Amino acid sequence: MITTIGCCDSGLGGMQVVKALKEAYPNLNIVYIADQSNVPYGEKSVEELRKYAHAFLDKFRMMDIHEVVVACNTLCANVIGDIQEEYEDLHIYNIIEPTCRQLAGHHFQKINVLATPKTVEKHAYLNTLKAFCPETEIHEIPAAKLVPIIENGCDSDILRKAVESYVSEKADAWVLGCTHFPLIRPFLDGKGELFDSNQAVVDLFRDEQITGEGKMEIYTTKDPARMKESIRTLLGCDYDVKAITLDS
Ligand code: DGL
């Protein structure tokens, strides 16, 4: 039985996971924290990423939230495995394995993974996908430019050009290994089958009894009014956003 889930990311990426969860489970209570003071995470050091992950998990623990979806591939790839044992009272969901599991049994010849430089550096997708798709050629592409463009208002011409600079390599399937990247789906039309973390996270809770009242709390470490506006224009949702401080 799950009443409340905590969810976190550097910014607007994890908010798309939240939107998918909300659509699938309307009565689930969700507390979302975006660390927009420190976005992008994709080129930060492992020490910095560890500090951010601790700050999120400490905050959720203080809020008495025990189910936590780390809706940030960069944190999942680099630090969550190492620090998880310090939080035995929390159920922490790493989203990389469930995202990869979606490709099992598809028998693609070639899969491209688009992710942040720090996720690619760790080869988290390559190593996990190999287990699900042992016969498949897997190619990882570090894409540093996309998150800042999305966070800065998602100008569609600039975003399209940036996406084009990463997608010359052909593939049968693309894994969007950063939770910001479902927003680039329109620019990958016709490139192959697309997979992201949104449905993968929804599927994690399929067999759970969800017993909340559908409450949403959204926090940012930066500018609540700006985040509210971004959520409205990018995701078409109208939610209140409050400020929060993280000890990072
Ligand atoms: N959305 C996050 C991820 O999935 C973080 C992106 C960033 O801040 O660079 O990796």
Side-chain angles (χ1 to χ4, degrees):
M1 194 168 78
I2 295 183
T3 307
T4 303
I5 282 177
C7 189
C8 56
D9 184 30
S10 59
L12 298 162
M15 197 54 218
Q16 298 173 74
V17 172
V18 167
K19 186 183 178 192
L21 279 170
K22 191 73 198 153
E23 280 167 8
Y25 311 111
N27 60 337
L28 179 66
N29 298 338
I30 304 176
V31 177
Y32 180 64
I33 307 177
D35 186 16
Q36 290 180 304
S37 298
N38 292 307
V39 71
Y41 280 3
E43 292 186 285
K44 293 280 192 329
S45 69
V46 171
E47 288 67 36
E48 283 170 301
L49 295 174
R50 189 174 297 120
K51 203 170 63 177
Y52 303 148
H54 275 301
F56 282 129
L57 297 174
D58 291 345
K59 184 62 86 176
F60 284 127
R61 184 184 260 164
M62 268 169 51
M63 292 170 149
D64 207 20
I65 292 169
H66 297 275
E67 303 282 330
V68 178
V69 174
V70 180
C72 175
N73 289 277
T74 309
L75 291 183
C76 288
N78 286 278
V79 295
I80 291 302
D82 293 342
I83 68 172
Q84 203 151 8
E85 64 184 27
E86 296 168 45
Y87 296 89
E88 279 176 357
D89 52 326
L90 307 188
H91 188 170
I92 300 170
Y93 299 87
N94 182 323
I95 63 174
I96 292 181
E97 203 252 11
T99 304
C100 293
R101 200 184 310 135
Q102 298 175 111
L103 288 93
H106 277 274
H107 306 295
F108 293 120
Q109 274 192 355
K110 186 171 174 208
I111 299 170
N112 283 349
V113 179
L114 206 58
T116 67
K118 213 65 199 174
T119 300
V120 169
E121 207 177 289
K122 219 39 198 183
H123 299 306
Y125 271 94
L126 177 70
N127 294 332
T128 313
L129 276 169
K130 263 192 204 156
F132 290 111
C133 314
E135 319 274 284
T136 304
E137 182 188 339
I138 300 160
H139 181 71
E140 294 175 294
I141 303 164
K145 290 183 277 187
L146 306 181
V147 171
I149 297 169
I150 292 167
E151 290 288 329
N152 286 328
C154 215
D155 179 301
S156 59
D157 283 340
I158 298 176
L159 190 57
R160 176 187 298 279
K161 285 204 186 79
V163 171
E164 278 167 6
S165 72
Y166 295 122
V167 298
S168 52
E169 187 100 16
K170 288 202 180 338
D172 312 298
W174 289 76
V175 177
L176 306 179
C178 168
T179 52
H180 280 72
F181 295 175
L183 288 167
I184 68 166
R185 276 177 166 266
F187 308 124
L188 293 173
D189 213 20
K191 293 269 180 206
E193 206 163 326
L194 305 182
F195 296 85
D196 62 40
S197 302
N198 293 352
Q199 190 57 44
V201 173
V202 166
D203 289 341
L204 286 174
F205 302 101
R206 279 274 171 243
D207 298 328
E208 294 288 347
Q209 198 190 339
I210 310 281
T211 59
E213 308 83 42
K215 284 192 281 189
M216 285 284 268
E217 284 178 45
I218 301 172
Y219 297 95
T220 177
T221 57
K222 204 169 181 194
D223 180 344
R226 187 153 190 263
M227 181 160 175
K228 181 179 170 66
E229 186 52 24
S230 304
I231 293 172
R232 206 181 54 75
T233 46
L234 295 182
L235 307 182
C237 307
D238 192 18
Y239 293 121
D240 282 339
V241 180
K242 293 181 216 146
I244 200 166
T245 310
L246 295 175
D247 295 330
S248 58

